[in-house]
Each structure stands twice: as C-alpha cells, then as structure tokens.
Amino acid sequence: PDLLTGKTAIITGAASPRGLGKATAKLFAEHGARVAILDLDAAQAEAAAADLPGEGHIGLACDVTVKPACAAAFAAVLEAFGQVDILVNNAGITQPLKFMEIAPENYEAVLDVNLRGTLYMSQAALPHMRGRKQGSIVNMSSVSAQRGGGIFGGPHYSAAKAGVLGLTKALAREAAPDNVRANAICPGFIATDITAGKLTDQMKAAVLDGIPMGRAGEASDVAGCALFLASDLAAYVTGSEVDVNGGSLIH
Ligand code: NAD
C-alpha cells in the first residue's frame, strides 16, 4: 500500500464524486501520494481533495480547455508540492449524437475537453518532468476510440479519444529520452455520472450483453490500472494503451 510514497499527482476532472478521476485520486492517496484535484469548480475540487485519505491534498479550479489556466494551475500545484511526478488527464465529456447531428459547437466542446485539454495540461507539466528526468502521464482514452463508439458517445467522442491515443504515443516517443512516460487507458463501460440516468434499460442490457465478464466496470477497476501506470512498477511501460473493459474488446 505504498506504491506512491513521496510522489505527487495532478488529476484533472477528479471532482465528480463517482467518477474515474476521484477513484484514482483516492487510490493514489491510499498509496501515499499527495494529490491535486483540478476541476471546473473550485469549491467542488477543494471538497473532493478534502475527502481523500491523508493530509496535504489540494483542489483547484482549472478549465483544461484554456491554455493559460492549465499553466497557472500547474504553477500553483508546483508551488504547493515542490514537484510533480504524475499527471492524469482524466477530464472528459461526451454526447450521444449521431454522425449527422454533430454541430460545430458539439465538435468543439467534445474535442476541446478530451483532446485539447490533454495537450494543454501535458504541455504545462512536460518541461518540469523533463527537467527532473522523471514523470508519468496517464491519459484517459476509451474503448470508443478503438471500436468506433458503441456505448454512448458519438463519432466526435470516438475521434477525440482516438486523438488522445495518437497524442499519447507521440508524446511517449518524444519524452522517453528524458525518462518521462506517457500511456493511455481505454476503459469500457464503467458506471459513473458520465452516463448516469442517460442510458435506457434496453441500452444497458445491450451493452452488458457485449461484455464477456458480464458486468459493468467499477471506477476502482480503472483506478487500479492508473496506479500501475503511474507507479514505478510500470517503469519500462510507455506509449501503451491498456484496456480496462471486461473483455468487451479483445484485439
Ligand atoms: P464524470 O462526468 O463523472 O467526470 C468528468 C469530470 O470532468 C467532471 O468532474 C467534470 O466537471 C470534469 N470536466 C469537464 N469539463 C472539464 C474542463 N473543461 N476542465 C476540467 N474539468 C472538466 O466522467 P467519468 O466517467 O469519471 O469519466 C472520466 C474520464 O474517463 C473521461 O475522460 C471519460 O471520457 C473517460 N471514460 C469514461 C468511461 C465510462 O464508462 N465512464 C468510459 C471510457 C472513458
């Protein structure tokens, strides 16, 4: 229970109480990390940080689609923690639209949070991580990127999450000589508020039918994978996409 002792982590989009980011923050804190939770609302981010086990966690407002906001939040975390070892780009939104329904503002909203935000936060962290010759960046993609949707998100969501995979792999190549690793997680269907109340029973049954393990994932299932990738257990793992999907896509 001490895989991250002495380490610090930034996790974006981690204020959502039942979300993947919050579960990841909790597991990281249980393993000894000091965690900075970044989310849209300062009070919610602070409350989520206060809810984590252990001392010294912080919550900050940061809209990851705004480059100076990412730089400012990173600087504030660095000021508070003195170092940043881990960045989890988890903030994301989705919309259940069909191909022809995607309006320019839908494209912008979904691409901006999922893809542009991942770029901007990583740009904020990279010089520091390179300077210390140490860092692990974990990006939240989706099975939707690999199989072209099929759960909830529309084609623009699939495109954004596929973009995250490309960005992750390119970053992994560029940053590897400085011992900064970048990996992506591709969760399948995980019960969180991103789909809460938006899936009909029929949709849920169809999704479960396609999962060999016969159950939806738990947020903790994704957190466990993020812990591995963030920790030194994964010291030689970079540029990978790790499936956490109960077998719903085996390839
Ligand atoms: P969630 O809706 O519970 O949490 C997302 C969080 O992101 C929220 O706290 C929200 O406030 C925050 N956020 C939104 N826009 C932001 C912005 N511009 N700046 C900063 N924060 C912002 O969702 P979740 O299910 O926990 O999803 C977490 C990540 O995992 C997302 O990237 C999502 O696309 C991905 N994912 C989820 C599933 C699933 O089944 N739940 C599957 C695959 C991938």
Side-chain angles (χ1 to χ4, degrees):
D2 56 358
L3 288 171
L4 302 181
T5 299
K7 303 214 182 206
T8 68
I10 293 176
I11 308 181
T12 68
S16 184
R18 302 189 325 125
L20 307 186
K22 178 73 189 299
T24 299
K26 184 168 168 279
L27 187 60
F28 281 16
E30 285 167 2
H31 278 264
R34 265 191 301 168
V35 180
I37 287 179
L38 273 45
D39 211 300
L40 290 173
D41 182 81
Q44 284 176 18
E46 284 161 17
D51 195 38
L52 298 177
E55 300 292 306
H57 312 294
I58 59 173
L60 293 173
C62 177
D63 180 343
V64 296
T65 68
V66 180
K67 187 165 176 165
C70 293
F74 186 84
V77 175
L78 196 53
E79 169 90 24
F81 289 172
Q83 73 191 59
V84 177
D85 302 283
I86 299 155
L87 167 64
V88 182
N89 285 304
N90 167 79
I93 60 167
T94 186
Q95 297 169 343
L97 299 176
K98 299 286 185 208
F99 198 89
M100 291 304 295
E101 297 167 348
I102 300 167
E105 57 271 26
N106 301 125
Y107 178 91
E108 273 154 28
V110 168
L111 270 287
D112 277 0
V113 180
N114 290 288
L115 185 54
R116 189 191 294 269
T118 298
L119 173 68
Y120 287 166
M121 270 317 300
S122 303
Q123 285 179 325
L126 191 59
H128 169 77
M129 289 181 168
R130 276 186 155 146
R132 293 182 66 228
K133 298 271 185 272
Q134 177 174 317
S136 174
I137 297 177
V138 179
N139 294 332
M140 221 45 95
S141 181
S142 171
V143 70
S144 180
Q146 302 163 304
R147 48 161 284 173
I151 298 178
F152 186 76
H156 54 336
Y157 180 74
S158 296
K161 291 304 198 185
V164 168
L165 292 182
L167 196 73
T168 304
K169 292 175 187 187
L171 172 59
R173 278 181 196 281
E174 243 191 82
D178 291 315
N179 195 36
V180 177
R181 300 181 292 105
N183 293 285
I185 300 177
C186 294
F189 174 49
I190 319 288
T192 71
D193 289 330
I194 208 166
T195 49
K198 297 171 200 154
L199 285 175
T200 64
D201 284 350
Q202 204 183 3
M203 283 159 83
K204 231 178 273 174
V207 171
L208 286 178
D209 226 29
I211 304 176
M213 290 191 78
R215 66 168 177 93
E218 308 280 337
S220 59
D221 294 327
V222 176
C225 184
L227 172 63
F228 166 69
L229 291 172
S231 78
D232 293 337
L233 289 179
Y236 200 52
V237 181
T238 198
S240 73
E241 47 183 283
V242 185
D243 298 334
V244 183
N245 64 23
S248 61
L249 181 73
I250 297 177
H251 56 112

